[in-house]
Amino acid sequence: MTRAQAIAHAQDYYDSGRLKSDLSRLIAMPTESQNPERAPVLSEYLEKEMRPLLESLGFDCKTLNHPIAKGPFLLAQRIEDPSLPTIFGYGHGDVIRGLDAQWSEGLSPWKLTERDGRWYGRGVVDNKGQHVININALKAVLETRGKLGFNVKYLIEMGEESGSPGLRELCEEQKELFKADVLIASDGPRLNAERPTVFLGARGVITFDLSIVAREGGHHSGNWGGILSDPAIQLAHAIASIASPTGQIRIHEWVPKELPRAVREAVADCVIDGGPDGPVIDPNWGEPGLSPAEQVFGWCSFDVLAMKSGVPETPVNAVPPSAWARCQLRFVVGIDAQDVIPALKRHLIRHGFPMIEVSTNGSERFGATRLNPEDPWVTFTLDSIAKSTGKKPALLPNLGGSLPNDIFADILGLRTIWVPHSYPGCSQHAPDEHLPAFIAREALTAMAGLYWDIGEPGRPGV
């Protein structure tokens, strides 16, 4: 049996229509972790779909729970020989809210629909499609070789879209159970649809609220305008002190001292392209002197996600009593995450805004991570994917977005390598989420080749 036969076996899973059939069944399960009414479906996804699939491949499966988690976790283990390296796989079966009424005519979040070479459905890329591809690539290698040639621990959670509550605590408590050598998983988008991609971590994210409550109730702007402070004006000026008119961050604790050489070299040939449905890049936005790829994968970004003062739907002639904004910092390795909010508070006081309250209660927070691009496992993975696909993969030191990679890297101490099976224009978290079908086939090709190579003697040492 050969590597080529394993890849052909994986490709047949796509060509025969079995991948599409499996995904149709999984997408029909509305696993919305942000919707309490869907709690029973979260368990059903693991028990009716994932457990039988993994047990059929010789995995021992165990359901894990944590009091603060949105749903259960499934840990599947296949230990062929304790002396062999152990690969840690990860995926999440929960999805963002379906937003049913907002999908294009003829499309539904809970029905896989093929249109113009794309598969539409909630979870088709985030993340049901991605982990189903990886598990079936493992299956292709196992059925071709008769064994994997390495050990696997695979964790599937059901609360990632709610911020992965309980995952950090579970990993702290189960370090020995989750012990492995390297994480190889799939989530997020490729650099672009055509180019296979590897990323080694993720930007961190801290979401916070800025608010001013000046007084109770609004007051007539004719009688009181000019002698009552306007919270909306104050908040607008405060935000303007945080970032320049072109988006350059003005809090020095929020940006790295430099762009590391290894990061700059890794993204030198990376061109950000969302495809025909993607937005046009604004060339003069952000940190001066950086390319778009350097901005997204090597630097920090600050955004205002929402703002409100008064009653926007029905404005009245009154000085508003309060103003509010939800803001977000995405940051890279080198930023002290514990100092982000204190640095913001110091900055606001220095600039004359002591009246602004900063709140982070219950907000999204992930740490920044980045595996060394020169790690032997990185080179090994890139070479394997290039051999399988005939394409040079893009290497991103970290994803521009955020995911719970810091839990795997910092708590479990794993090397972290991600091979995404989506693209920037996939509309994840939005109506009309979709996957170009050719990416699914190429992903099966790449992952079957990678898993085959990990079972060969030429793999890196651990």
Side-chain angles (χ1 to χ4, degrees), residues 77-238:
Q77 301 183 79
R78 180 184 167 93
I79 307 300
E80 294 188 350
D81 185 338
S83 67
L84 294 173
T86 299
I87 305 303
F88 194 93
Y90 165 80
H92 64 91
D94 67 312
V95 297
I96 205 77
R97 289 183 181 272
L99 306 175
D100 303 46
Q102 299 177 33
W103 286 57
S104 296
E105 184 177 356
L107 299 179
S108 164
W110 315 122
K111 181 180 179 181
L112 186 68
T113 303
E114 184 169 4
R115 181 180 293 179
D116 299 326
R118 295 174 170 180
W119 294 350
Y120 288 83
R122 179 62 84 220
V124 69
V125 293
D126 192 18
N127 175 259
K128 295 177 180 179
Q130 302 216 35
H131 62 256
V132 166
I133 284 171
N134 288 2
I135 292 171
N136 280 278
L138 282 169
K139 181 179 180 180
V141 171
L142 179 59
E143 292 180 346
T144 301
R145 182 187 268 146
K147 62 180 181 178
L148 293 175
F150 55 93
N151 307 314
V152 178
K153 296 182 179 181
Y154 216 108
L155 182 68
I156 301 177
E157 72 159 315
M158 300 303 295
E160 195 271 351
E161 298 295 7
S162 296
S164 293
L167 178 60
R168 184 177 304 275
E169 293 77 8
L170 190 67
C171 288
E172 288 276 13
E173 297 168 5
Q174 303 288 350
K175 285 184 181 179
E176 188 62 30
L177 181 63
F178 293 165
K179 186 177 180 180
D181 297 298
V182 57
L183 176 138
I184 296 178
S186 300
D187 202 352
R190 295 175 165 193
L191 179 66
N192 57 58
E194 298 293 335
R195 190 172 183 188
T197 299
V198 172
F199 64 86
L200 309 178
R203 286 202 291 187
V205 61
I206 294 178
T207 303
F208 54 91
D209 291 354
L210 301 178
S211 59
I212 302 174
V213 179
R215 61 192 67 85
E216 290 188 14
H219 295 272
H220 192 281
S221 56
N223 298 331
W224 297 98
I227 57 175
L228 292 182
S229 63
D230 187 319
I233 293 175
Q234 290 175 311
L235 186 57
H237 279 277

Side-chain angles (χ1 to χ4, degrees), residues 329-389:
L329 177 72
R330 293 192 184 266
F331 59 95
V332 295
V333 170
I335 305 303
D336 182 355
Q338 300 304 314
D339 192 44
V340 166
I341 298 302
L344 171 61
K345 292 178 178 179
R346 296 193 299 267
H347 172 88
L348 292 172
I349 290 173
R350 281 198 309 269
H351 286 78
F353 302 108
M355 77 292 290
I356 293 182
E357 180 180 347
V358 182
S359 172
T360 60
N361 293 337
S363 61
E364 186 176 19
R365 183 187 290 257
F366 291 119
T369 52
R370 180 191 292 149
L371 177 64
N372 184 351
E374 297 172 346
D375 187 277
W377 274 94
V378 177
T379 303
F380 173 83
T381 301
L382 294 172
D383 289 346
S384 173
I385 294 174
K387 181 179 179 181
S388 299
T389 64

Side-chain angles (χ1 to χ4, degrees), residues 397-420:
N398 48 256
L399 183 67
S402 302
L403 42 77
N405 192 66
D406 60 315
I407 297 174
F408 306 123
D410 298 338
I411 295 177
L412 299 183
L414 298 175
R415 296 175 174 92
T416 55
I417 295 175
W418 296 79
V419 186

Side-chain angles (χ1 to χ4, degrees), residues 22-46 48-49 70-71 92-100 103 108-112 121-124 126-128 158-159 161-162 433:
D22 286 349
L23 270 178
S24 296
R25 193 174 61 255
L26 299 180
I27 286 168
M29 303 181 75
T31 52
E32 301 167 300
S33 61
Q34 297 175 329
N35 182 353
E37 296 179 2
R38 302 299 197 190
V41 190
L42 303 182
S43 297
E44 289 175 6
Y45 184 85
L46 296 182
K48 293 185 177 180
E49 294 292 344
K70 290 287 185 179
H92 64 91
D94 67 312
V95 297
I96 205 77
R97 289 183 181 272
L99 306 175
D100 303 46
W103 286 57
S108 164
W110 315 122
K111 181 180 179 181
L112 186 68
R122 179 62 84 220
V124 69
D126 192 18
N127 175 259
K128 295 177 180 179
M158 300 303 295
E161 298 295 7
S162 296
E433 178 181 344

